[in-house]
Amino acid sequence: MDKQSDATFTPPRHWVSPEELTPAYWSDPGSQTLRGQEFLEKPIESLAALEKGATFELERREFLTLMGASMAMASFACARRPVEKIIPYVIKPEEVMPGVANFYASTYPGVYGGHGILVKTREGRPIKLEPNPDHPVNGSGLCAQAQAAILTMYDPDRLTGPVLVSGGSTTNASWADLDKAMGGKLRSGGKVRVLTGGISSPTTRKLIKEFLGTVSDGKHVQWEPSISPALLAAQEESYGDAKLPVYRFDRADLIVSFGSDFLGANPDQAGNLALWSKKRDLRGQKAEGARMSRLIAFEPSVTLTGANADERYALDAGDELKVALAIAHQLTVGMQQTKLAGDAPTREALRDFSPAKVAQDVGGKVTEDLIKKVAKELWENRGRSLVIGGDLLSSGADGLKLQLAINLLNSALENDGVTVDPSAHAENAGLLSGWKDFRALIQDMNSGSVDVLIIQGVNPVYHLGKATGFAAALGKVKMAVRVGDRVDETGAACHYVAPEHHFLENWGDHEPRAGVLTLQQPTIHPLHDTRGFQDMLLAWAGKKGTWHEYLQDSWKSVHSTHGRGQGFEEFWMDSLQKGVVGTISGKESGGRHFRTYSLRSLMSGRTAKGEGLKLALYRKVALGDGAGAQANNGWLQELPDPVTTVTWDNHFNVAPALAQKMKLAQNDVVRVSAEDGTALELPVLVQPGMPENTVSVAVGYGRTRVGSVGTGVGGDAFGFVKTDADGIPIFSGQKIKMEKLGWRYELALTQGHHRTLDRPIVNDITLNEYRKEPGAEMHTNPELRPKEVANIWPLHEYAGYRWGMSVDQTACTGCGACVIACQAENNIPIVGRARVRMSREMQWIRIDRYYSGTDDAPDLVFQPMMCQHCENAPCETVCPVLATSHTDEGLNDMTYNRCVGTRYCQNNCPYKVRRFNFFDHWKDYRGSINLAWNPDVTVRSRGVMEKCTFCIQRINEGKVKSRIEGRKVNDGEIQTACQQTCPTNAITFGNVNDPTSKVSKLRADARGFKAIEELNTKPSITYLSKVRNKEQGATDHV
Amino acid sequence: MSEMTIPPDILVTGGKTFTHVNDDVSAPLERWPTWKWWVCFAVALSCLGTGVILASDMFMTGLGVLGLNEPVGWGCFIVNFVFWVGIGHAGTLISAILFLFRQKWRTGINRSAEAMTIFAVMTALLFPLIHTGRPWYAAIWLLPYPNQRELWVNFRSPLLWDVFAVSTYFTISLLFWYVGLIPDFASVRDRAKNKVRKLVYTLLSMGWRGSNRNWSHYEVAYLLLAGLSTPLVLSVHSVVSFDFAVSNIPGWHTTIFPPYFVAGAIFSGFAMVVTLLVIVREVFNLKDYITINHLEKMNKIIMTTGMMVGYAYACEFFIAWYSGNPYEAFTFTNRAFGPYWWAYWIMTSCNVIIPQVFWWKKMRTNVGVMFVVSLFVNIGMWFERFVITVTSLHRDFLPSSWAYYTPTWYDWGITIGAMGFFFTFFLLFCRVFPVVAMAEVKGVMAHGNHVSKEKGVA
């Protein structure tokens, strides 16, 4: 056909459109090019290439041409769209159906082996991450950071090719240049060091070893900042063998935490939430003998873990050690229990830490009775209790000692091997020696003997760069190559930045637990001119073959153990499809012998508390360390912190009593300075529950080079970190001074008022009350469950399906994963700090957080609030154009194209769950970010109201699928985005007309109530009361 | 016989004859405006211009330039809407209700008052359009026109009722005003020397000959239109109040709103009439037609309706406590002592306290005093709508969604633009239409009335 020319033109016999009958169509160079490119590969390149008319080869991981619409989305401003020709498939690629998603199992990488994900791809590009139900650690859900990771792949600030860095500016380079430079340097005979974060991929570690085998002096340093070095050092001292324990929260009936945020800012958050909530699920139990685990938290700031604790005691930074030792004292000396009761070194170490003395020292909420009570309770729960600590908050000067104390307690209580499982993690010797190796590396760097340094996966210049001395030492390295996705603080101080694939573009494997392996597979051809880190190493080692081939080759050994009679190809395909190979062993590993001699450092006795303010550092749930690409992720920056509801900035948390004493109001800017002169100026947040003499601040802010979204947000608190004589960083407990500067900075909070004022919004009861009376209500005015609410109108009838939801407030921890999942699924824009201040945030779910009790010891309850899909919806009656209406399946629909934006519906909604588009937010999305949109959901223009739709696109998809298969939708088949990602399964969604569905049963649960039911809106969402396992006999607040 | 006779009011002072009436009232139409008028017009136009520029930017960028947020979805624009619609009610009351009650004194003021109504309703109608997110669709989709998609509007929504009520109100008021103007146009036409002027007024007067037939048609039409307009005085603002009363927000959801709003409308409307007429009578030398007597009567009405509004405030507070409804009680405490306490106290002092000066005859006959009071009353009434709209929205059922609304420059600029819009039209009206109803005034003058001559009344 293409050989036609004008002169000899004969129209084709079969044609698709009238244009094909004209000679012009066939001779038109534009359409010729397009026809030759039916299967394009790189969405970004194709935009440019289509102009040039280049041709591409087909690769195995082929994907589709961007449809004309999505090309237009990525490239147009607000002018008329350019005329483009769309050529439909003549031969459709296998497996690809436009409009139908394909799911691929992969892994979201993390230091503890990552989490299993299913990547939802549409037309060849990933748009959403879901939890892989087959993954043994996080089968139930994904955390907020994982949900947001999809946006980072499409980040327009990613490097599109290698760059050469010199004198603070960057110039584009080619891979050939870099390879040549590397080749030269690597063979020069000097020291070659590869510095990475904790690598959970056994094959990658193997490859790095092989790579270093090709040079004369090579070493791999795995420096993982999120694992406390004190923890590992203490494991070594107490048990003779540094092992990273797995905490089996599902085996613990009592957990005592010393500043640990295991439910919040933790790389294994989703896994921990899943385990912990298993022991607290009241939905499967009868009320009378209901059992729940108990969590007691001692912490110097208000973390998500503390917020969800059954009992929480604030203490000043640095006091955790004393309390832990006092408990140990009470157990061994006071109660004469545990096998260490008669042990002389133990008694010697604990001599000075009697509960009375410690209570006097620590003061505040920590009393002698409390310590004794906790000790007694721990003893009663021995073998199924867990003492944990070691996050930044409790990593002070006494960090190592605290870990020793915790080991002592766990061993004495026979928890070791049961709830503290040291053999459950896969062996990674390099990870365990990380800090020591890191210090040795810095020494080598300082001596100028390091020729080549490859840095991947960590940002050591930003992250503790000053404290560790890395930043200064980097300048002495002859050739520093930063492998990352952008020129960050570390990259700017290196010589080259080699951009690597995003995890969704790369192969890999991971080992989350001993005996379990997961695979990571690319779900899209790389967007930019990037290479996988492993491919770089192969190239620089001069080896042939790709990382994919290397991985497959390495997995032949996995095949031999797990192969089970399959051929390798079949086994490989099966593993890729499932994503997970192997299971977690259910065995308890048996307690290790505790070396009491390790307590010798404690024998120096108690140090006095000291006057003045102390500082505590912590990680925020949304950003974690903030050292990676998360800081440039708008979704994460705008995720309201569960406890403070602050977006976009960090701040100093100050107790109300302290604020009053120093005459500080919220948003006053203060200058906090440490004894060595380090200072930071940030606004104050008055935080109920803070101890009176501690000020806490989040790390991960104050980035100087991360991209257009995250640079300059907040202030860098890492400057306050010093290292002790052993090189262990001291995060908390520093003495500080705080002075008011006289000016204000308004923090962008999403929730300004924190009390329910006794309104019937939440129900917060104790376990005792629940056992006696499952429908127990706290006092509200009016009543939480009105006896009768009159209805003068006939209700809607629901003949077929009727969708309803229930949210268990006991299971909900406020982690915010649902908020990000909803944002990813429904194309919800971010609005920026200024507009959050004006109260215009767009997320469809907000997690309301209410305090009860006193300001210095509050209880917190979280309530995810989204559209209640009321039967008597107040919004439906008042919309003048009927843009919002009730469906015959119980949903409150929102018709975007009919909405004229009078906002009466928003005014009339008592729950205030509607969001108005004040601007054309989509216009702010430039370049590759447009690839992240979910094509099933409209992108709203300005002037239009939006709100939660119960993921109607998923409901319709599910209904269509079941209709095709000639059956009804099964319970649990349709999952809303929020439900699917919730790690504790707090959200249940389904067909209320089906009496056997989970949601029907939960709606009838005695704990169920509706928010402000007496308004007679008849919401479709039933909330289940929050039940807290407070101590025996205690009833809740009024 | 000792008969107590109440002397009839002297409605037109200065011994005017019918010729005087024609001359005095037509004079402003026939001369070039003075610098005073030009200054006022320039100010009004520049306010209007500011509003137009800001509103255009708002159309291009989005409603985000205003101070609105989540939960406060309605702010200055709706306040303006209710404010201007309310003001309009005074004109209709004077034109229609006072007519039916045979209050002869209305004749000196009804023309200007009705003009004020028309322009106030026009100004008000701007706001439902521009406050929507997509006004280019709101303009058509709020009207129930038959279409292929079989889409109808939501007749249950008070905003729809507004569409009907305010458009009806505008139509009737316009017709009523125009019908009343016809004899006066004819008078001006008959005096006109200039060809263009004569043509324009000929067209406007629709062939009025002053015959018996013309007059009897006129009287009947006038009576009918007055009868039609009368219920509108009560119903239109009741319907506007339903925007609030039909919702479920505490502070809005209350049955007192229709009478409360109507009383408030008349209150602010009369105040605006006083403001305008004090200036008009001064500038156009019409003190003999718009006498202190007229103004005093209007001030009495202002005070009466002011006290009704004050009573409504007290009622609301009482019911908020008596009902035992915690949301209602909180809303009212929040109004007086919460973050918007300043708006609440402006409202109370301007609406309840300041009009009390009118107890003293000296005060209510003093032009300076009444001018100042009328301005304060309008400020107070604007703030009343602001307090109602904003304080109920910003803190309603769930404390987690409470926020604060701060109007931006765009809010204020477009508010001022609306005032410019109103005053531009009113100033133009003063120059081209007779500001006093000549034909009706002649009907109540003693001159030419033999009966009154006998009784010796001028």
Side-chain angles (χ1 to χ4, degrees):
Chain A
M1 278 305 172
D2 281 36
K3 298 209 170 59
Q4 298 256 23
S5 68
D6 282 346
T8 58
F9 178 74
T10 46
R13 178 143 179 231
H14 296 108
W15 45 273
V16 174
S17 64
E19 283 79 14
E20 290 186 29
L21 297 172
T22 65
Y25 176 78
W26 298 100
S27 54
D28 176 31
S31 65
Q32 273 179 359
T33 322
L34 282 170
R35 280 199 307 282
Q37 292 170 4
E38 259 190 77
F39 304 106
L40 289 181
E41 292 170 2
K42 301 181 188 183
I44 300 301
E45 270 191 41
S46 72
L47 298 179
L50 279 167
E51 321 298 315
K52 296 194 215 121
T55 54
F56 292 88
E57 287 172 21
L58 205 57
E59 284 206 5
R60 186 188 179 279
R61 279 271 150 206
E62 81 282 278
F63 68 98
L64 309 173
T65 306
L66 290 169
M67 306 296 240
S70 45
M71 284 207 298
M73 253 205 303
S75 62
F76 90 119
C78 56
R80 286 178 68 84
R81 295 181 194 164
V83 172
E84 293 173 357
K85 298 190 169 84
I86 305 176
I87 312 283
Y89 293 118
V90 172
I91 302 169
K92 184 175 78 71
E94 215 183 293
E95 298 172 358
V96 175
M97 174 95 70
V100 174
N102 284 345
F103 288 83
Y104 297 97
S106 186
T107 308
Y108 170 70
V111 61
Y112 295 124
H115 290 145
I117 54 176
L118 293 179
V119 184
K120 177 177 178 186
T121 64
R122 275 288 297 269
E123 283 87 55
R125 66 182 197 284
I127 54 167
K128 183 81 168 54
L129 303 181
E130 307 294 358
N132 181 353
D134 291 329
H135 196 282
V137 174
N138 75 305
S140 55
L142 273 185
C143 60
Q145 282 195 28
Q147 284 290 345
I150 196 90
L151 197 68
T152 304
M153 195 181 84
Y154 297 114
D155 191 347
D157 291 328
R158 276 178 74 188
L159 278 178
T160 51
V163 291
L164 170 69
V165 182
S166 72
S169 63
T170 61
T171 36
N172 290 336
S174 70
W175 285 108
D177 291 339
L178 178 54
D179 288 347
K180 210 163 113 197
M182 279 302 279
K185 269 283 183 293
L186 285 170
R187 314 278 165 252
S188 67
K191 286 199 173 123
V192 174
R193 296 288 180 265
V194 174
L195 171 63
T196 64
I199 293 193
S200 61
S201 160
T203 312
T204 307
R205 292 200 302 267
K206 184 165 144 231
L207 173 60
I208 294 176
K209 207 159 146 206
E210 268 186 44
F211 164 75
L212 291 170
T214 65
V215 301
S216 45
D217 183 352
K219 194 154 191 269
H220 176 200
V221 177
Q222 287 186 66
W223 176 62
E224 182 45 63
S226 63
I227 297 181
S228 156
L231 179 87
L232 294 174
Q235 292 283 317
E236 172 86 47
E237 286 212 32
S238 303
Y239 301 110
D241 160 19
K243 277 195 193 285
L244 198 60
V246 165
Y247 297 106
R248 294 299 301 261
F249 300 103
D250 60 330
R251 289 180 182 158
D253 282 331
L254 172 64
I255 303 163
V256 176
S257 154
F258 290 100
S260 167
D261 196 13
F262 61 92
L263 295 176
N266 186 294
D268 218 1
Q269 184 189 20
N272 291 344
L273 283 168
L275 288 177
W276 181 72
S277 64
K278 262 205 198 118
K279 273 281 197 172
R280 297 174 68 89
D281 200 341
L282 294 171
R283 286 170 286 188
Q285 304 183 52
K286 279 202 163 58
E288 213 181 303
R291 292 176 55 97
M292 272 172 86
S293 67
R294 222 158 100 76
L295 170 60
I296 302 177
F298 293 93
E299 53 181 21
S301 183
V302 188
T303 61
L304 190 59
T305 307
N308 283 294
D310 298 296
E311 283 176 34
R312 179 186 171 275
Y313 301 99
L315 38 61
D316 286 315
D319 283 345
E320 302 93 339
L321 173 64
K322 290 180 188 153
V323 177
L325 290 174
I327 294 174
H329 185 282
Q330 177 64 13
L331 275 172
T332 52
V333 177
M335 288 162 54
Q336 296 285 324
Q337 296 286 13
T338 81
K339 53 186 187 292
L340 293 172
D343 181 76
T346 309
R347 295 181 82 93
E348 183 60 29
L350 295 174
R351 197 177 28 132
D352 254 346
F353 294 96
S354 72
K357 286 196 202 136
V358 164
Q360 202 181 40
D361 224 14
V362 171
K365 298 289 171 196
V366 180
T367 61
E368 189 185 337
D369 283 338
L370 172 66
I371 295 173
K372 288 187 172 151
K373 179 195 83 159
V374 174
K376 180 159 169 279
E377 225 185 302
L378 277 171
W379 181 245
E380 282 165 4
N381 283 291
R382 64 188 175 283
R384 33 187 187 89
S385 55
L386 174 58
V387 182
I388 186 173
D391 247 318
L392 302 195
L393 284 174
S394 47
S395 294
D398 286 335
L400 174 58
K401 290 185 190 164
L402 175 64
Q403 290 300 332
L404 292 170
I406 288 174
N407 290 345
L408 165 66
L409 282 168
N410 277 324
S411 283
L413 293 165
E414 299 157 30
N415 296 332
D416 194 67
V418 183
T419 59
V420 180
D421 196 345
S423 61
H425 266 309
E427 282 281 349
N428 182 354
L431 176 66
L432 301 173
S433 62
W435 279 90
K436 286 205 205 84
D437 291 345
F438 186 59
R439 287 198 304 278
L441 170 65
I442 295 177
Q443 272 182 327
D444 282 340
M445 284 161 70
N446 272 322
S447 70
S449 58
V450 175
D451 269 12
V452 179
L453 176 63
I454 301 171
I455 309 171
Q456 186 268 352
V458 278
N459 186 354
V461 168
Y462 166 73
H463 197 164
L464 299 176
K466 225 177 81 186
T468 54
F470 187 90
L474 186 54
K476 304 205 178 89
V477 173
K478 297 204 181 63
M479 169 129 164
V481 176
R482 204 262 189 282
V483 174
D485 69 347
R486 63 196 68 222
V487 181
D488 56 6
E489 292 88 346
T490 301
C494 289
H495 299 102
Y496 276 97
V497 179
E500 61 167 340
H501 291 334
H502 188 264
F503 75 87
L504 289 170
E505 296 167 330
N506 199 10
W507 291 97
D509 63 350
H510 299 268
E511 203 174 359
R513 296 286 184 271
V516 181
L517 281 168
T518 67
L519 278 170
Q520 175 187 324
Q521 58 176 320
T523 52
I524 185 173
H525 201 87
L527 291 177
H528 308 292
D529 186 15
T530 55
R531 265 191 196 163
F533 175 47
Q534 299 90 342
D535 279 309
M536 289 182 217
L537 294 177
L538 283 169
W540 296 335
K543 289 194 194 293
K544 292 243 177 332
T546 62
W547 163 236
H548 180 198
E549 288 160 0
Y550 187 94
L551 179 65
Q552 277 187 301
D553 201 52
S554 168
W555 265 59
K556 293 213 164 80
S557 61
V558 180
H559 169 238
S560 58
T561 42
H562 295 268
R564 236 177 294 222
Q566 286 174 309
F568 176 73
E569 273 301 314
E570 210 188 318
F571 168 70
W572 177 251
M573 282 302 167
D574 259 354
S575 310
L576 271 182
Q577 205 172 45
K578 223 175 137 220
V580 181
V581 172
T583 50
I584 294 182
S585 125
K587 279 192 298 181
E588 299 176 6
S589 66
R592 297 170 284 178
H593 167 72
F594 180 76
R595 296 177 177 173
T596 55
Y597 182 61
S598 64
L599 299 173
R600 65 193 178 289
S601 56
L602 294 162
M603 291 174 195
S604 51
R606 230 168 64 239
T607 46
K609 181 164 162 158
E611 293 293 315
L613 296 177
K614 299 262 178 53
L615 184 67
L617 298 185
Y618 68 99
R619 298 184 183 103
K620 279 211 192 181
V621 170
L623 293 190
D625 281 322
Q630 313 97 312
N632 204 40
N633 187 317
W635 291 347
L636 290 174
Q637 288 281 9
E638 203 157 284
L639 175 66
D641 182 68
V643 173
T644 63
T645 74
V646 173
T647 62
W648 288 100
D649 284 305
N650 62 345
H651 43 84
F652 288 114
N653 296 311
V654 165
L658 177 61
Q660 207 177 40
K661 201 163 79 177
M662 294 190 60
K663 300 209 180 17
L664 290 171
Q666 184 136 316
N667 296 329
D668 277 342
V669 179
V670 293
R671 189 182 157 82
V672 165
S673 42
E675 282 178 323
D676 69 340
T678 317
L680 184 59
E681 294 176 7
L682 287 175
V684 156
L685 180 87
V686 178
Q687 176 61 43
M690 285 291 293
E692 208 177 304
N693 292 308
T694 302
V695 170
S696 68
V697 64
V699 296
Y701 287 83
R703 295 289 302 265
T704 52
R705 301 184 75 108
V706 70
S708 50
V709 173
T711 302
V713 172
D716 186 359
F718 276 124
F720 287 112
V721 180
K722 306 285 170 286
T723 50
D724 67 7
D726 294 318
I728 294 180
I730 300 173
F731 287 100
S732 300
Q734 304 91 324
K735 282 210 177 68
I736 48 153
K737 282 203 173 9
M738 185 163 71
E739 56 168 311
K740 190 166 154 177
L741 289 180
W743 44 284
R744 294 166 63 83
Y745 177 90
E746 193 185 338
L747 288 168
L749 294 155
T750 58
Q751 185 179 339
H753 292 86
H754 317 297
R755 302 269 171 178
T756 59
L757 305 178
D758 285 344
R759 295 179 178 192
I761 304 168
V762 294
N763 193 24
D764 195 352
I765 56 177
T766 65
L767 185 59
N768 292 323
E769 288 170 329
Y770 175 65
R771 281 183 185 138
K772 273 195 238 130
E773 162 62 54
E777 284 174 26
M778 60 187 234
H779 163 78
T780 55
N781 178 22
E783 280 176 22
L784 190 78
R785 300 189 186 94
K787 288 180 192 46
E788 196 199 308
V789 184
N791 206 50
I792 54 177
W793 302 107
L795 295 176
H796 296 274
E797 286 177 9
Y798 306 104
Y801 298 109
R802 182 179 163 195
W803 305 111
M805 186 183 268
S806 105
V807 178
D808 188 351
Q809 292 193 273
T810 306
C812 174
T813 56
C815 71
C818 53
V819 178
I820 303 283
C822 175
Q823 193 157 24
E825 173 76 16
N826 293 298
N827 300 336
I828 298 173
I830 57 167
V831 298
R833 193 194 281 112
R835 293 172 192 166
V836 174
R837 282 193 191 114
M838 286 181 79
S839 187
R840 288 180 179 172
E841 61 275 6
M842 291 300 286
Q843 294 115 345
W844 290 359
I845 306 182
R846 61 167 195 268
I847 312 269
D848 288 343
R849 180 269 298 119
Y850 294 106
Y851 295 119
S852 56
T854 55
D855 263 355
D856 57 345
D859 280 328
L860 285 83
V861 61
F862 296 101
Q863 182 177 48
M865 180 58 71
M866 56 285 235
C867 174
Q868 304 282 299
H869 293 272
C870 309
E871 278 194 80
N872 283 344
C875 56
E876 289 166 8
T877 49
V878 296
C879 173
V881 289
L882 282 174
T884 183
S885 50
H886 215 75
T887 68
D888 58 356
E889 288 185 355
L891 293 179
N892 175 277
D893 258 353
M894 189 63 218
T895 314
Y896 304 125
N897 47 354
R898 177 73 170 165
C899 176
V900 293
T902 59
R903 304 176 305 287
Y904 201 170
C905 56
Q906 172 189 303
N907 290 345
N908 215 22
C909 174
Y911 308 103
K912 291 293 181 285
V913 288
R914 285 173 160 271
R915 307 278 178 263
F916 186 68
N917 283 281
F918 283 101
F919 293 105
D920 276 320
H921 296 289
W922 56 269
K923 286 187 182 164
D924 294 333
Y925 283 62
R926 53 187 176 90
S928 50
I929 282 265
N930 284 294
L931 294 168
W933 298 122
N934 179 356
D936 282 333
V937 178
T938 315
V939 175
R940 283 78 59 187
S941 80
R942 65 182 161 101
V944 162
M945 192 65 79
E946 60 184 51
K947 65 173 184 73
C948 162
T949 57
F950 270 179
C951 280
I952 189 160
Q953 67 278 8
R954 291 179 175 214
I955 293 175
N956 285 338
E957 200 185 320
K959 278 165 61 184
V960 164
K961 184 156 168 255
S962 65
R963 214 179 289 141
I964 291 173
E965 293 172 16
R967 57 172 175 85
K968 286 208 121 210
V969 171
N970 297 326
D971 187 32
E973 195 181 333
I974 296 176
Q975 292 195 314
T976 55
C978 50
Q979 173 193 15
Q980 192 169 17
T981 197
C982 179
T984 59
N985 290 327
I987 300 178
T988 311
F989 175 79
N991 181 7
V992 173
N993 273 348
D994 173 6
T996 63
S997 69
K998 278 206 198 95
V999 72
S1000 298
K1001 301 201 177 108
L1002 290 175
R1003 277 162 70 93
D1005 194 306
R1007 272 193 301 146
F1009 68 95
K1010 302 216 200 256
I1012 322 183
E1013 192 169 356
E1014 56 119 26
L1015 288 180
N1016 198 25
T1017 49
K1018 292 197 161 10
S1020 300
I1021 298 185
T1022 304
Y1023 288 96
L1024 302 177
S1025 307
K1026 178 163 181 88
V1027 177
R1028 245 186 271 266
N1029 192 351
K1030 285 201 180 255
E1031 63 170 314
Q1032 277 286 21
T1035 52
D1036 214 321
H1037 50 275
V1038 168
Chain B
M1 281 198 291
S2 56
E3 227 174 57
M4 282 285 284
T5 47
I6 302 167
D9 275 330
I10 300 172
L11 295 171
V12 178
T13 54
K16 300 283 180 183
T17 64
F18 289 170
T19 322
H20 285 127
V21 173
N22 284 351
D23 288 340
D24 291 338
V25 177
S26 308
L29 279 65
E30 291 163 355
R31 64 162 190 266
W32 189 247
T34 60
W35 66 270
K36 291 188 202 143
W37 187 90
W38 282 113
V39 166
C40 292
F41 193 62
V43 171
L45 260 190
S46 49
C47 287
L48 175 60
T50 314
V52 167
I53 292 171
L54 291 176
S56 309
D57 188 24
M58 186 180 77
F59 290 141
M60 300 306 288
T61 324
L63 287 184
V65 299
L66 305 173
L68 299 170
N69 58 20
E70 230 279 312
V72 183
W74 284 353
C76 282
F77 282 12
I78 293 298
V79 172
N80 288 339
F81 168 64
V82 181
F83 178 70
W84 287 109
V85 168
I87 282 180
H89 284 64
T92 318
L93 189 147
I94 293 170
S95 293
I97 295 185
L98 292 183
F99 176 75
L100 294 178
F101 286 169
R102 307 222 179 290
Q103 296 296 307
K104 296 200 164 73
W105 59 274
R106 63 179 273 284
T107 52
I109 57 174
N110 71 331
R111 176 63 42 72
S112 299
E114 192 64 32
M116 180 201 77
T117 294
I118 305 285
F119 303 135
V121 174
M122 278 163 62
T123 312
L125 277 172
L126 290 173
F127 286 104
L129 260 186
I130 68 175
H131 96 112
T132 54
R134 301 203 293 174
W136 45 93
Y137 291 134
I140 22 173
W141 289 351
L142 270 124
L143 299 168
Y145 62 91
N147 55 75
Q148 270 180 321
R149 296 159 296 160
E150 299 182 27
L151 285 176
W152 290 108
V153 294
N154 182 6
F155 292 104
R156 294 191 295 170
S157 167
L159 294 182
L160 236 296
W161 305 340
D162 273 354
V163 168
F164 293 128
V166 181
S167 55
T168 310
Y169 189 46
F170 181 65
T171 315
I172 299 281
S173 296
L174 190 62
L175 278 175
F176 190 22
W177 186 61
Y178 186 69
V179 165
L181 268 168
I182 291 177
D184 288 352
F185 282 147
S187 299
V188 178
R189 169 200 65 192
D190 292 338
R191 290 162 60 89
K193 304 278 189 309
N194 177 294
K195 269 216 171 74
V196 174
R197 169 182 283 275
K198 195 161 183 104
L199 175 64
V200 169
Y201 286 101
T202 307
L203 289 170
L204 283 172
S205 56
M206 296 183 88
W208 178 267
R209 287 288 164 257
S211 67
N212 250 349
R213 179 172 277 219
N214 284 166
W215 278 111
S216 77
H217 285 167
Y218 171 84
E219 296 287 344
V220 170
Y222 201 93
L223 182 64
L224 280 176
L225 284 166
L228 278 173
S229 303
T230 299
L232 286 178
V233 174
L234 300 169
S235 68
V236 172
H237 224 233
S238 300
V239 168
V240 170
S241 79
F242 286 158
D243 284 349
F244 303 103
V246 166
S247 82
N248 59 12
I249 304 297
W252 283 13
H253 186 64
T254 163
T255 52
I256 200 178
F257 269 19
Y260 166 30
F261 269 52
V262 171
I266 296 168
F267 183 41
S268 70
F270 268 85
M272 183 60 95
V273 173
V274 167
T275 309
L276 290 172
L277 289 182
V278 160
I279 299 176
V280 162
R281 72 195 281 273
E282 187 66 48
V283 170
F284 295 134
N285 243 318
L286 294 168
K287 295 202 180 108
D288 288 322
Y289 303 95
I290 307 171
T291 64
I292 296 288
N293 201 351
H294 289 93
L295 294 173
E296 188 193 346
K297 288 195 164 63
M298 288 199 281
N299 290 335
K300 285 184 190 166
I301 294 181
I302 288 177
M303 203 181 71
T304 314
T305 48
M307 296 208 299
M308 284 188 209
V309 165
Y311 172 69
Y313 293 165
C315 232
E316 280 189 313
F317 260 96
F318 173 71
I319 294 293
W321 167 76
Y322 186 66
S323 68
N325 181 328
Y327 307 114
E328 199 74 19
F330 175 79
T331 301
F332 281 90
T333 329
N334 183 47
R335 273 191 193 175
F337 305 112
Y340 285 106
W341 63 271
W342 50 275
Y344 179 79
W345 290 105
I346 293 177
M347 167 185 108
T348 317
S349 49
C350 291
N351 291 348
V352 179
I353 300 173
I354 288 182
Q356 302 303 317
V357 301
F358 283 159
W359 283 109
W360 290 270
K361 189 172 172 97
K362 218 160 169 223
M363 295 289 120
R364 61 177 186 261
T365 50
N366 181 313
V367 169
V369 169
M370 72 174 82
F371 183 72
V372 168
V373 170
S374 67
L375 286 177
F376 272 115
V377 165
N378 270 324
I379 292 173
M381 284 310 292
W382 193 92
F383 273 98
E384 180 197 284
R385 275 57 170 263
F386 182 85
V387 165
I388 291 174
T389 310
V390 176
T391 60
S392 288
L393 281 178
H394 93 115
R395 285 185 177 182
D396 67 333
F397 294 99
L398 296 185
S400 58
S401 49
W402 290 357
Y404 194 76
Y405 163 69
T406 312
T408 61
W409 289 118
Y410 283 79
D411 285 290
W412 296 124
I414 296 174
T415 303
I416 290 173
M419 291 187 202
F421 181 83
F422 174 78
F423 283 108
T424 302
F425 274 99
F426 194 82
L427 286 166
L428 286 172
F429 154 76
C430 291
R431 292 251 67 98
V432 293
F433 291 178
V435 300
V436 171
M438 294 188 281
E440 299 185 58
V441 166
K442 288 173 193 167
V444 301
M445 278 168 70
H447 174 82
N449 182 340
H450 302 292
V451 175
S452 53
K453 226 188 197 151
E454 272 172 18
K455 302 258 165 139
V457 177

